[in-house]
């Protein structure tokens, strides 16, 4: 019998020459006997819903009830070496994002062409320049970031990391600087999987599941920012969607702040409400409904649909003008765009922001990223993608999932835009092919299913500081989202992915 985590490759290849059959063995031999499954699944569902692994119903929204969030019965095997590597790197990744956010010229050069064709990014950029020209009233920013990575086996055994066991390495999908969710769902998924292993009478396996203090870490970041603001009566503002489906993941942040600091109050408002109830004092304090705001935590504002009219844009500008410490401030939001990510991956750029040794470590996370600018370099990328669309992902400047283009669809989209500047709204990225493993998918109102899956690990980081002075930069926990190996994107709220946790193997 193969042991957990052992990696097999039986030599099947897809038409791009990428092995299709790399698999990772699960933490337990599968399938589980039917009688065991029949016993454990209802217990796991009860544990999940009773610990806040829930979401609001998308259809038939009902404020009085919650639907079970989809989750995997068992933790997914993940190589310890790679997990520890990204955990250790996170504080450097935070600092990188912080320095990029504070480099006006770099952001300007990186986004110059994008903002000519992407209206959403241009509006963010306009807010940034307005605030900059007026004089920034709050020098301090709070970064609550999440670096998303996937396991991959480099195609030609191309680096030192994929040449030694477990013959895989991680590559970064992106770094999120706004609304980095799953600070609650990440740790809760670990609790569900721990409970399940306990009920399966496998306590000896529990040591493979790493601690996960994401909720405490992210909320600790907000509390540190609140302290730095220095006004005991001021509150924390969560900027939220009009309707929040992923309610547990937000509310538990509020409860954790209350647990850590009963003296701090949190209020929630959407952008429309901020436009109606928010104002600035002459010294730029942000007041909402009589409360002074110390810290603004954006869980919305990252997609065009959340700005219904000019009023919501005005609201965002009001917040950015204010003295409140923002997570993210507008320049942090811009630093997290896909175009900036692609520019950072150019040779030599990391060395502008990090020491040579740090730059080397971070660069090992990167996979191929290509500009689609109207230039010979961009032409070459277009040609490459048209010839081999399965090897790439085409990405617009959007967040929140469901916007990227995959496979043959890349050809269709590029065919339309390849000769116009419209293509500069996108970037091209190598498609990461994570190894497959099996797990039991549990979804509300559906029978449990043994399925083939791939995982994406999110590493949280917190950072607080000004351009010149960083007060702290920390690793702040993790989350794992797992999806069917057959789908392109695995949004949990969209129903394509599910909550999961890591089972470390050596
Ligand atoms: N290079 C890639 N290779 C393979 N899959 C990818 C790649 N880039 C993105 N994906 C898939 O698409 C999903 C969304 O991609 P990405 O994170 O770039 O977009 P997003 O809209 O910012 O999503 P999020 O809301 O998670 O921040 C990822 O979670 C991953 O499943
Ligand atoms: Mg994102």
């Amino acid at each position: 019998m193969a042991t957990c985590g052992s990696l097999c490759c039986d030599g099947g290849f897809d038409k791009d020459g990428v092995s299709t059959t790399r698999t990772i063995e699960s933490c337990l031999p599968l399938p589980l006997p039917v009688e065991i499954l029949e016993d454990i699944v209802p217990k796991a569902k009860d544990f999940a819903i009773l610990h806040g692994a829930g979401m609001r119903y998308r259809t038939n929204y009902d404020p009085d009830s919650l639907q079970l969030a989809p989750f995997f019965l068992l933790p997914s095997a993940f190589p310890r070496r790679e997990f520890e590597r990204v955990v250790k790197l996170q504080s450097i990744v935070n600092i990188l994002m912080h320095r990029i956010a504070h480099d006006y010229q770099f952001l300007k050069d990186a986004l110059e062409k994008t903002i000519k064709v992407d209206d959403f990014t241009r509006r963010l950029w306009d807010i940034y320049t307005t605030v900059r020209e007026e004089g920034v009233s709050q020098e301090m920013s709070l970064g609550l970031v999440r670096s998303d990575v996937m396991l991959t086996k480099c195609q030609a055994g191309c680096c030192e990391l994929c040449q030694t066991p477990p013959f895989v390495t991680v590559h970064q999908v992106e770094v999120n600087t706004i609304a980095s969710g799953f600070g609650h769902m990440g740790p809760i998924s670990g609790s569900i999987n721990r409970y399940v292993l306990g009920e399966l009478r496998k306590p000896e396996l529990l040591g493979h599941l790493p601690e996960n203090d994401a909720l405490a870490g992210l909320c600790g970041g907000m509390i540190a920012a609140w302290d730095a603001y220095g006004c005991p009566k001021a509150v924390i503002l969560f900027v939220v969607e009009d309707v929040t489906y992923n309610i547990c993941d937000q509310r538990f942040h509020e409860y954790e702040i209350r647990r850590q600091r009963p003296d701090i109050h949190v209020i929630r408002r959407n952008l429309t409400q901020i436009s109606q109830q928010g104002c600035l004092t002459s010294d730029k304090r942000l007041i909402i409904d009589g409360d002074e705001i110390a810290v603004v935590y954006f869980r919305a504002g990252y997609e065009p649909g959340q700005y219904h009219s000019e009023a919501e844009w005005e609201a965002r500008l009001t917040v950015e003008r204010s003295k409140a410490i923002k997570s993210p401030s507008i320049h942090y939001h811009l630093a997290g765009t896909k175009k900036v990510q692609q520019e950072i991956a150019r040779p030599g750029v990391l060395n502008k922001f990090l020491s040579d040794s740090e730059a080397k470590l971070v660069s090992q996370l990167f996979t191929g990223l290509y500009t689609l600018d109207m230039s010979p370099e961009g032409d070459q990328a277009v040609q490459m993608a048209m010839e081999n669309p399965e090897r790439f992902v085409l990405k617009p400047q959007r967040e929140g999932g469901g916007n990227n283009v995959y496979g043959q669809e890349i050809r269709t989209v590029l065919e339309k835009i390849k000769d116009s500047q419209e293509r500069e709204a996108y970037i091209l990225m190598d498609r990461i092919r994570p190894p497959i493993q099996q797990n039991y998918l549990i979804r509300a109102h559906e029978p449990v299913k043994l399925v083939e899956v791939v995982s994406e690990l999110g590493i949280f980081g917190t950072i607080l500081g000004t351009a010149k002075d960083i007060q702290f930069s920390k690793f702040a926990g993790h989350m794992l989202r797992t999806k069917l190996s057959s789908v392109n994107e695995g949004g949990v709220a969209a129903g394509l992915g599910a909550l999961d946790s890591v089972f470390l193997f050596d």
Side-chain angles (χ1 to χ4, degrees), residues 144 346 349 474:
L144 301 174
R346 282 186 185 282
V349 172
K474 299 183 198 169

Side-chain angles (χ1 to χ4, degrees), residues 146 148 173-179 302 336 338 395 398-401 481:
R146 198 187 71 213
D148 291 336
V173 174
E174 65 157 354
V175 181
N176 291 292
T177 59
I178 183 164
Y302 53 81
K338 295 181 167 66
K395 295 190 172 189
R398 291 290 173 274
E399 288 297 327
R481 273 180 304 183

Side-chain angles (χ1 to χ4, degrees), residues 169-186:
T169 180
V170 291
H171 276 164
Q172 191 174 64
V173 174
E174 65 157 354
V175 181
N176 291 292
T177 59
I178 183 164
S180 308
F182 292 84
H184 160 69
M185 294 294 207

Side-chain angles (χ1 to χ4, degrees), residues 189-240:
S189 317
S191 305
I192 299 170
N193 292 146
R194 276 174 188 278
Y195 167 76
V196 166
L197 291 179
E199 288 301 302
L200 292 174
R201 303 183 190 215
K202 299 281 179 197
E204 69 279 10
L205 296 183
L206 293 177
H208 290 264
L209 277 72
E211 289 298 315
N212 191 356
D213 291 329
L215 187 65
L218 294 171
C219 294
M222 286 188 247
I223 290 169
W226 186 90
D227 282 333
Y229 187 82
C231 172
K233 276 194 302 202
V235 305
I236 298 180
L237 167 68
F238 283 22
V239 179
V240 297

Side-chain angles (χ1 to χ4, degrees), residues 49 56 83 103 117 124 141 148 170 214 256 262 279 305 312 339 374 416 461 468 480 483:
I49 199 110
R56 295 273 193 234
F83 182 81
D103 190 329
V117 284
L124 298 176
S141 284
D148 291 336
V170 291
E256 176 63 17
C279 64
E312 288 74 22
K339 180 64 189 170
M374 300 301 280
K416 279 195 214 125
K468 293 200 187 83
L480 194 75
K483 62 179 181 183

